[in-house]
Amino acid sequence: GNSVTQMEGPVTLSEEAFLTINCTYTATGYPSLFWYVQYPGEGLQLLLKATKADDKGSNKGFEATYRKETTSFHLEKGSVQVSDSAVYFCALYNTNAGKSTFGDGTTLTVKP
Amino acid sequence: DGGITQSPKYLFRKEGQNVTLSCEQNLNHDAMYWYRQDPGQGLRLIYYSQIVNDFQKGDIAEGYSVSREKKESFPLTVTSAQKNPTAFYLCASRSTGDNSPLHFGNGTRLTVT
């Protein structure tokens, strides 16, 4: 079956630090990969996506590259801000399953 | 603006009562989903529907029921059979196509006492 494993949190960083949140997946076929972000009390929002091997998704300074050889989709940002504090979810969508599979989420706190 | 509307934002019920959570979308999406989120945990799929008048059980369907009579609407009923109903409930939709992301509502926080 499909599964997503995310780096356990919580993660606490100082402003302007480098961020990496690891994500690896198991899936049959060629899934699409996504990062979503959730701010307190809200639903999830799409942060970025990649649909095939070696694609790089990017948005708001965040990046992630679809690595089929290592089945990974790690999220990175060069310089985090306090406003990036949120919960980040890695997810995949596989047409065979007709539904998305989510990681457990990683809570990021950025301190001034 | 297109989006997904969940109502109400907060809902309080007594144990033993059924309660229905509303989810409406005006994105013209075929597929709709209900997730449950408990504190500090990820999302667990309750039910999903890929087309009107059809739906499938997710990973934790016991104690819940849904209907999909209209494309825009996918209400979730939390029945008295659900043993731990207090949670944050998220509705989502997506268009067909492998590359399409999920669009989420802002959730309903249900508290049962």
Side-chain angles (χ1 to χ4, degrees):
Chain A
N2 300 322
S3 67
V4 175
T5 302
Q6 266 184 255
M7 173 174 141
E8 285 191 26
V11 174
T12 303
L13 296 173
S14 297
E15 206 164 22
E16 299 183 4
F18 184 85
L19 169 71
T20 300
I21 300 178
N22 290 339
C23 171
T24 56
Y25 68 90
T26 302
T28 55
Y30 303 94
S32 296
L33 301 175
F34 303 86
W35 277 101
Y36 293 89
V37 60
Q38 184 180 32
Y39 299 102
E42 298 183 6
L44 280 68
Q45 306 171 25
L46 177 67
L47 181 58
L48 53 83
K49 69 178 185 181
T51 59
K52 61 182 187 296
D54 300 324
D55 264 4
K56 177 187 281 188
S58 62
N59 186 27
K60 299 180 182 179
F62 291 89
E63 293 183 339
T65 301
Y66 190 143
R67 300 285 188 202
K68 191 162 178 63
E69 63 277 13
T70 54
T71 61
S72 65
F73 193 53
H74 305 321
L75 182 69
E76 296 183 337
K77 187 175 186 183
S79 175
V80 293
Q81 306 301 311
V82 172
S83 58
D84 293 327
S85 298
V87 182
Y88 293 81
F89 291 91
C90 184
L92 68 84
Y93 179 81
N94 194 320
T95 303
N96 295 339
K99 56 185 178 177
S100 299
T101 302
F102 284 84
D104 287 340
T106 301
T107 300
L108 170 66
T109 301
V110 180
K111 297 191 172 180
Chain B
D1 285 340
I4 297 186
T5 301
Q6 290 189 243
S7 61
K9 189 167 179 64
Y10 299 97
L11 192 52
F12 298 88
R13 279 294 183 271
K14 295 290 188 185
E15 198 172 313
Q17 294 179 334
N18 292 353
V19 59
T20 297
L21 282 60
S22 169
C23 177
E24 303 278 332
Q25 55 102 356
N26 60 5
L27 299 166
N28 200 34
H29 286 170
D30 287 313
M32 297 187 74
Y33 304 80
W34 273 106
Y35 293 92
R36 170 180 172 141
Q37 187 176 28
D38 292 286
Q41 296 189 29
L43 278 67
R44 293 186 287 171
L45 183 64
I46 304 172
Y47 268 98
Y48 63 108
S49 167
Q50 299 193 72
I51 197 167
V52 174
N53 292 323
D54 188 40
F55 50 82
Q56 289 79 39
K57 293 182 179 180
D59 302 319
I60 56 164
E62 186 175 347
Y64 299 97
S65 66
V66 294
S67 62
R68 187 84 187 278
E69 297 176 1
K70 299 187 299 181
K71 188 175 186 177
E72 306 78 31
S73 179
F74 192 41
L76 173 74
T77 297
V78 184
T79 76
S80 57
Q82 167 51 232
K83 295 190 180 353
N84 295 296
T86 295
F88 189 51
Y89 291 88
L90 286 163
C91 180
S93 70
R94 65 185 297 276
S95 64
T96 53
D98 295 349
N99 304 335
S100 303
L102 287 166
H103 295 253
F104 284 85
N106 278 329
T108 292
R109 188 167 299 280
L110 173 65
T111 302
V112 177
T113 58

